[in-house]
Amino acid sequence: MLGAAQGQTNVQIARELEINVDTVRLWRDRWVGLQGIDLETLSIAERLQDAPRPGVTPKITAQQRCQMAALACEAPAKAGRPISQWTGREIADEMKVRGIVEQISPRHAARLRKYGGSNRTASVTG
């Protein structure tokens, strides 16, 4: 938004920030759409928040993902597991034993371990 206020084009802003020009356009359009709302009603911080995402709210936190990544870097033998590499079932069980999560399916644990990705369809609680 600062670049736009300084007269930069969307392309210039995108190059400078190394992001897609469509992202610049989206945020610039969003900012312009909020121009009529005073700062007492909607603060600058609130204006810059990302829009709510569709779908189910993720049930596994970034902290839990980090704990899982750290676990996956450990040798299973360190956790008393008689295996050489983590499987989805073993890592899910160990996450529950350590209190990282209350529940996680072996399939979801394997998917997170493999891709480190989103958990939009996660079967995780706690």
Side-chain angles (χ1 to χ4, degrees), residues 13-83:
I13 295 168
R15 273 196 204 119
E16 182 179 326
L17 298 176
E18 298 179 359
I19 60 175
N20 189 295
V21 72
D22 292 334
T23 302
V24 176
R25 188 175 301 113
L26 170 88
W27 281 98
R28 200 170 190 166
D29 289 347
R30 187 179 294 171
W31 187 266
V32 168
L34 299 172
Q35 289 291 318
I37 302 171
D38 62 66
L39 288 174
E40 292 171 4
T41 304
L42 190 66
S43 72
I44 291 175
E46 291 169 321
R47 293 166 195 260
L48 293 174
Q49 287 179 351
D50 203 0
R53 304 271 180 187
V56 177
T57 303
K59 294 184 174 116
I60 189 166
T61 66
Q63 181 181 9
Q64 288 169 316
R65 275 193 223 139
C66 288
Q67 290 172 315
M68 180 183 171
L71 170 62
C73 290
E74 291 179 14
K78 184 177 176 184
R81 306 244 172 207
I83 55 175

